[in-house]
Amino acid sequence: MRRDDIRNIAIIAHVDHGKTTLVDALLRQSGEFRASQLVGDCILDSNELERERGITILSKNIALPYRGVKINLIDTPGHADFGGEVERVLRMAGGALVLVDAAEGPMPQTRFVLTKALECGLVPVVVINKIDRPDARADEVLDEVFDLFVDLGADHLADFPHIYASGRDGYATHDPATRGDSMKPLLDMVLEQIPGPEIDAKAPLQMLVTTLDWSEYVGRIAVGRLFSGSLSKGQQVALLQAEGRETLAKASAVFTFDKLGRQEVEQATAGDIVAVVGLDEVEIGDTISDAEVRNALPRVEVDEPTLRMVFTINSSPLAGREGKYVTSRHLRDRLMKELERNVALRVEPMPGTDAYAVSGRGLLHLSVLVETMRREGYELSVGKPKVILRERNGITEEPFESLIVEVPHDKLGTVMELIGGRRGQMVEMNNRGEYAHVAFTIPARGLIGLRTRLLNATQGTAIIHHRFESYRPLEGEIASRGNGVLVSMVSGKAVAFGLDGLQERAEMFVGPGDVVYEGMIVGENSRTGDMAVNPTKEKKLTNIRAAGSDRNILLKPPRVLNLEAALEYIDDDELVEVTPQSIRLRKILLSENERRKAARRGA
């Protein structure tokens, strides 16, 4: 049987296609909230990092009542690096709102999330969003979505339900030329087109855990959908875990989602999305089953990671000055805790060292983890990101990505040259007004550091999107950083006189008064090869003065690298030192003599 009083819907789209803004409009028009409860934009992006970056990182659950039906909405990330979040929460839903920008059309992540939704058997409703854009081309985009469905082999869904909307202006309409006045047409379509969950209320309890939350008061909170049976407060349940492990536990409290929060209930029934308290050993992918009739659901499977970085403790001379957690035990405990929630992450200890190889979906996926850790008070050092290779039938393969670049026509030549130098191959090129829309296939190795170079070469006008495509035979070498670096040979504070002599041949990363140490990278050399320098050099003071011998020192502002830029910049023999207050670049071997010995051994 189906439940008609509930709908479980995931909102999926490419990054910046307006998912969270659309949810804002639904919240404001629901009539269920006071104005003071809905302050600002992107209400569901409550995480500090999400607000700063303007992207959704973690999936969120809310519930809205409409026409006597409870609509459980799951807002998902749009960035390819957080695809693991999307893959696991889709198992809770019965339908999906597929948002597509009315100007950009289907993008790489649109294909990815739609593929995953179809694999889970979700009913798609296509929403052509942002029809208020001056460059909107709603009808053309609808044709492109149709082509995407056919390309993915979903011919039976070629007559998919669709609607046009403007999340920012808060309306949905069946005719893009006619402005609507509310989101009601979209909600009506959801109730008509997306069926309620199919359930077996009399069958034994089965619930799949797809998300973990944490509370200082009650510990782990398991979130998932009840597929069959019912779950009551205080009920004894069986926890069916990986590798056939089974444990008994008690559900000390059961919550359903209500508006922006949760509401404790005595009993939840099949079809509900619930949060369960009291299961201390629960992990993502586990099945909460009836204690007597134990029947496990298929575990949540996510795509394997493609990028790896080495995390280790901060061993620089400045270690321990700014952070609260600085030991290898702190680092290990934090990474293990992250594994509980982050299903797309892998952590492996490196034998014989206190370092850990941390693998993820992409640079943003891993850098968000590092940024979160530094804000929590951790100090650590992070190595250069490297792609994960694999052996198949005796052939070494590497990950390839689909790269889409939108750039003004006069900057296209520079983009082609940069991407071609990293073994990227053009697949398709279209014109969209003043912009060229170009699709490439490129090794994931070639993407490391490419975004910064493209933005610099195009004066920030390039729009870049990429997603994992497939593994293919390993390509040849890809040119690394062309310039060497300036490495401090002394410890102390940088002074203007010393920096003035260096800035003529380099771009500096430090300014006057910044603390430096031996082995710290203080600038980028204008030539290849590294150079040991003394940024603490002061002017010699004498009693003799000559007219015109003193001159004003004019220093260029130092280049300040954020975390992603620093991770893209470093080479194999370098680390990024991350503390709550600072991001520094350094050599792995701090002493110049040690670096020379290592170079001779390597030669």
Side-chain angles (χ1 to χ4, degrees):
M1 59 175 289
R2 287 192 182 274
R3 282 186 65 177
D4 290 329
D5 63 335
I6 197 168
R7 300 288 190 276
N8 298 324
I9 301 161
I11 303 182
I12 56 177
H14 187 79
V15 65
D16 279 342
H17 280 199
K19 297 180 300 301
T20 310
T21 306
L22 187 82
V23 174
D24 285 357
L26 294 173
L27 289 171
R28 289 198 166 93
Q29 294 182 24
S30 66
E32 299 290 326
F33 304 93
R34 299 187 307 273
S36 59
Q37 290 178 278
L38 305 174
V39 178
D41 299 323
C42 297
I43 297 158
L44 292 194
D45 286 348
S46 52
N47 183 298
E48 185 182 352
L49 270 178
E50 291 178 322
R51 288 202 167 277
E52 285 181 16
R53 294 169 181 261
I55 59 174
T56 301
I57 296 172
L58 303 171
S59 60
K60 317 286 193 319
N61 293 61
I62 63 168
L64 290 176
Y66 181 69
R67 282 172 39 187
V69 177
K70 180 181 181 181
I71 301 176
N72 283 313
L73 283 173
I74 309 166
D75 185 24
T76 64
H79 202 286
D81 285 20
F82 306 111
E85 285 278 316
V86 181
E87 289 175 68
R88 59 186 173 82
V89 300
L90 288 180
R91 294 285 292 274
M92 291 194 284
L97 294 182
V98 184
L99 263 69
V100 184
D101 190 297
E104 293 183 359
M107 298 294 279
Q109 185 69 355
T110 312
R111 172 183 286 268
F112 170 80
V113 293
L114 184 55
T115 303
K116 295 298 178 185
L118 295 176
E119 285 176 4
C120 292
L122 304 192
V123 177
V125 172
V126 174
V127 182
I128 309 296
N129 194 28
K130 300 189 181 182
I131 59 170
D132 56 313
R133 284 182 60 159
D135 56 346
R137 45 189 192 93
D139 292 332
E140 288 179 47
V141 167
L142 185 63
D143 291 340
E144 291 172 11
V145 176
F146 174 84
D147 294 339
L148 177 60
F149 270 86
V150 173
D151 196 25
L152 294 176
D155 298 0
H156 62 293
L157 295 172
D159 190 21
F160 52 83
H162 63 276
I163 197 168
Y164 305 91
S166 169
R168 190 183 67 176
D169 292 346
Y171 70 86
T173 176
H174 293 283
D175 180 3
T178 306
R179 181 187 171 95
D181 56 5
S182 74
M183 282 290 179
K184 285 185 178 179
L186 174 58
L187 293 172
D188 291 336
M189 179 173 280
V190 164
L191 298 189
E192 292 165 10
Q193 300 292 341
I194 297 179
E198 190 172 322
I199 62 166
D200 188 348
K202 296 181 181 179
L205 165 66
Q206 273 188 310
M207 171 184 160
L208 183 66
V209 179
T210 51
T211 305
L212 282 183
D213 204 350
W214 172 263
S215 165
E216 294 291 337
Y217 304 102
V218 297
R220 287 194 201 187
I221 302 170
V223 179
R225 176 179 151 196
L226 281 173
F227 281 83
S228 62
S230 61
L231 179 61
S232 304
K233 180 179 178 180
Q235 182 176 335
Q236 190 87 1
V237 297
L239 200 57
L240 310 182
Q241 301 186 286
E243 301 171 358
R245 288 180 286 123
E246 298 183 3
T247 55
L248 285 173
K250 187 174 84 168
S252 56
V254 180
F255 296 83
T256 58
F257 288 87
D258 180 42
K259 301 170 189 171
L260 291 175
R262 300 180 188 139
Q263 180 180 30
E264 187 170 359
V265 294
E266 289 298 319
Q267 185 184 58
T269 53
D272 283 327
I273 293 177
V274 299
V276 185
V277 173
L279 313 178
D280 295 335
E281 303 298 323
V282 69
E283 295 176 358
I284 288 173
D286 291 353
T287 299
I288 299 173
S289 174
D290 185 88
E292 302 297 329
V293 184
R294 303 181 182 183
N295 192 7
L297 291 162
R299 291 188 69 82
V300 176
E301 299 290 340
V302 298
D303 291 345
E304 289 298 308
T306 58
L307 201 68
R308 175 181 290 139
M309 294 196 307
V310 174
F311 285 43
T312 185
I313 58 170
N314 181 14
S315 57
S316 84
L318 303 181
R321 295 191 184 185
E322 300 173 2
K324 183 179 177 184
Y325 308 108
V326 296
T327 67
S328 57
R329 180 178 62 82
H330 287 138
L331 179 63
R332 178 191 175 280
D333 291 347
R334 179 62 181 82
L335 290 175
M336 293 303 136
K337 182 181 176 185
E338 186 67 23
L339 277 180
E340 294 175 1
R341 297 189 193 183
N342 203 332
V343 292
L345 200 72
R346 304 285 184 273
V347 177
E348 302 165 24
M350 300 184 70
T353 69
D354 56 3
Y356 295 86
V358 181
S359 308
R361 285 286 184 86
L363 189 61
L364 184 62
H365 184 203
L366 295 172
S367 67
V368 164
L369 170 60
V370 176
E371 182 66 32
T372 304
M373 290 175 67
R374 74 182 283 236
R375 293 182 182 209
E376 293 172 358
Y378 287 83
E379 283 194 16
L380 64 153
S381 297
V382 186
K384 180 180 175 64
K386 296 183 179 179
V387 300
I388 299 173
L389 306 178
R390 74 177 188 187
E391 291 285 333
R392 192 173 182 182
N393 300 327
I395 299 173
T396 304
E397 295 183 331
E398 67 173 328
F400 274 69
E401 305 237 350
S402 168
L403 172 68
I404 289 182
V405 182
E406 289 189 41
V407 64
H409 292 287
D410 59 326
K411 305 283 194 312
L412 182 58
T414 307
V415 169
M416 301 283 279
E417 184 180 350
L418 277 171
I419 295 176
R422 289 169 174 254
R423 298 190 174 270
Q425 296 185 349
M426 188 174 73
V427 178
E428 185 183 1
M429 182 165 69
N430 298 307
N431 292 329
R432 290 186 182 170
E434 299 176 358
Y435 278 74
H437 181 91
V438 196
F440 298 89
T441 295
I442 186 171
R445 284 181 299 148
L447 282 175
I448 299 174
L450 180 63
R451 178 180 292 272
T452 304
R453 292 176 182 272
L454 283 177
L455 291 175
N456 288 341
T458 60
Q459 287 78 51
T461 55
I463 302 170
I464 306 148
H465 299 293
H466 62 89
R467 78 166 186 92
F468 171 74
E469 194 172 80
S470 62
Y471 270 88
R472 298 183 191 174
L474 184 68
E475 293 270 351
E477 286 295 316
I478 292 176
S480 58
R481 187 180 67 206
N483 295 42
V485 291
L486 304 188
V487 186
S488 176
M489 63 171 74
V490 294
S491 299
K493 283 191 175 182
V495 296
F497 182 79
L499 297 176
D500 184 44
L502 297 174
Q503 71 174 0
E504 297 174 4
R505 68 191 84 178
E507 183 176 11
M508 304 308 299
F509 297 156
V510 297
D514 289 349
V515 178
V516 299
Y517 55 83
E518 183 182 9
M520 178 174 160
I521 296 170
V522 295
E524 180 180 76
N525 197 355
S526 58
R527 302 178 181 178
T528 57
D530 298 340
M531 183 165 59
V533 298
N534 180 8
T536 67
K537 181 180 178 182
E538 296 180 342
K539 183 176 182 180
K540 292 287 183 281
L541 300 179
T542 69
N543 289 329
I544 302 171
R545 287 288 180 271
S549 63
D550 288 334
R551 63 184 181 86
N552 289 330
I553 293 176
L554 298 175
L555 291 177
K556 291 181 288 187
R559 191 208 300 183
V560 179
L561 296 174
N562 62 22
L563 183 58
E564 276 92 3
L567 291 171
E568 288 181 343
Y569 184 82
I570 58 173
D571 222 329
D572 291 333
D573 63 337
E574 297 163 3
L575 296 172
V576 178
E577 176 190 345
V578 181
T579 73
Q581 298 173 25
S582 310
I583 294 173
R584 305 183 185 96
L585 308 185
R586 54 162 284 190
K587 290 290 185 180
I588 295 177
L589 301 174
L590 297 178
S591 165
E592 187 180 358
N593 287 335
E594 290 179 1
R595 293 197 297 274
R596 285 179 177 172
K597 288 177 185 175
R600 285 198 293 270
R601 285 196 298 270

